[in-house]
Amino acid sequence: MERMFLRFRTLLLAGACALTLAGCASSVQPEIQRLPERVELNGVPFFRGETYQSGPGTLASMLSQQGIAITPGLLDKPLHLPGAEAKLQQNMLTLAREYGMVVYPLDGNLSALLTQVAAGYPVMVRYTEGSAFWAEPRYAVLAGYNRHKQTVLLRAGMNRRLLMDFAKFESAWSNAGYWAVLIQGPTQVPAQVDRQRWLKAADELARAGQESAAARATKALSAN
């Protein structure tokens, strides 16, 4: 009798665990469930630092990923730092275009970001760091995720591998306005590309004085 009771209890516990795991899996967006279970873009450069909301370091990582020899310190002057902190985000995107890069904004949902990471493209994001009493925006590179553990991996501030669970990241990301962009070479068409969005980004590249790069971006879309 005791043996039957122990077996019954074991089955109950196993069933409870299975339901818990199923609940966790079902809480993930269906688009994310279709992605590879784990991706980490190990080749994404990292520049340690927290000055200017980690903006120069994050931009340097994205540009270095594209083969541009750069460091955060070399970006301060073209970003008009110190002095233009209020225009940091705008100036970073302008500068990326001046380097011949396509700045492609992403939708405000986690699956849109992880889809690009799964395709091999790091994502530049802004999120809020702190608490209810003190918080400020930070910039980081989303360079990986683990679907089973429901975590993202960021190159952020002083941390080369900052792990954050999906819910915490989405909350911090939403508090900073769901801002996320790709900084792509002209021929690097994003996964599941929005054609009009890419063409608009190419036009912005042309207006930044990079007509040749913009033409290559347009041609790459036609060939995609």
Side-chain angles (χ1 to χ4, degrees), residues 32-93:
I32 295 177
Q33 293 183 35
R34 291 192 284 267
L35 295 175
E37 182 173 311
R38 181 179 182 274
V39 175
E40 181 170 349
L41 306 179
N42 291 308
V44 177
F46 172 61
F47 296 94
R48 191 184 308 273
E50 295 181 330
T51 56
Y52 308 119
Q53 303 171 13
S54 302
T58 300
L59 179 59
S61 292
M62 298 295 286
L63 294 176
S64 294
Q65 175 75 5
Q66 296 295 335
I68 297 170
I70 198 70
T71 64
L74 294 175
L75 293 176
D76 286 353
K77 186 174 180 180
L79 289 174
H80 310 293
L81 297 170
E85 288 81 356
K87 294 184 177 180
L88 176 59
Q89 183 171 298
Q90 175 187 333
N91 289 344
M92 286 195 296
L93 302 187

Side-chain angles (χ1 to χ4, degrees), residues 11-175:
L11 289 173
L12 281 177
L13 289 172
C17 290
L19 287 173
T20 300
L21 290 173
C24 290
S26 64
S27 67
V28 176
Q29 300 171 30
E31 295 84 358
I32 295 177
Q33 293 183 35
R34 291 192 284 267
L35 295 175
E37 182 173 311
R38 181 179 182 274
V39 175
E40 181 170 349
L41 306 179
N42 291 308
V44 177
F46 172 61
F47 296 94
R48 191 184 308 273
E50 295 181 330
T51 56
Y52 308 119
Q53 303 171 13
S54 302
T58 300
L59 179 59
S61 292
M62 298 295 286
L63 294 176
S64 294
Q65 175 75 5
Q66 296 295 335
I68 297 170
I70 198 70
T71 64
L74 294 175
L75 293 176
D76 286 353
K77 186 174 180 180
L79 289 174
H80 310 293
L81 297 170
E85 288 81 356
K87 294 184 177 180
L88 176 59
Q89 183 171 298
Q90 175 187 333
N91 289 344
M92 286 195 296
L93 302 187
T94 298
L95 186 57
R97 296 185 185 105
E98 291 175 357
Y99 273 101
M101 297 293 111
V102 180
V103 177
Y104 180 84
L106 297 176
D107 290 334
N109 59 76
L110 185 59
S111 65
L113 278 57
L114 301 190
T115 295
Q116 301 304 328
V117 173
Y121 302 133
V123 180
M124 185 174 182
V125 298
R126 184 182 63 207
Y127 69 101
T128 298
E129 181 181 70
S131 64
F133 302 100
W134 170 88
E136 66 176 351
R138 298 280 186 186
Y139 293 93
V141 178
L142 176 57
Y145 68 87
N146 187 312
R147 181 165 52 80
H148 177 68
K149 295 183 178 179
Q150 298 190 27
T151 57
V152 296
L153 185 153
L154 303 173
R155 301 271 194 269
M158 305 299 288
N159 299 292
R160 185 179 185 275
R161 298 185 78 259
L162 175 63
L163 297 176
M164 193 179 296
D165 65 55
F166 283 179
K168 183 177 179 180
F169 171 74
E170 287 188 277
S171 176
W173 182 40
S174 69
N175 288 339

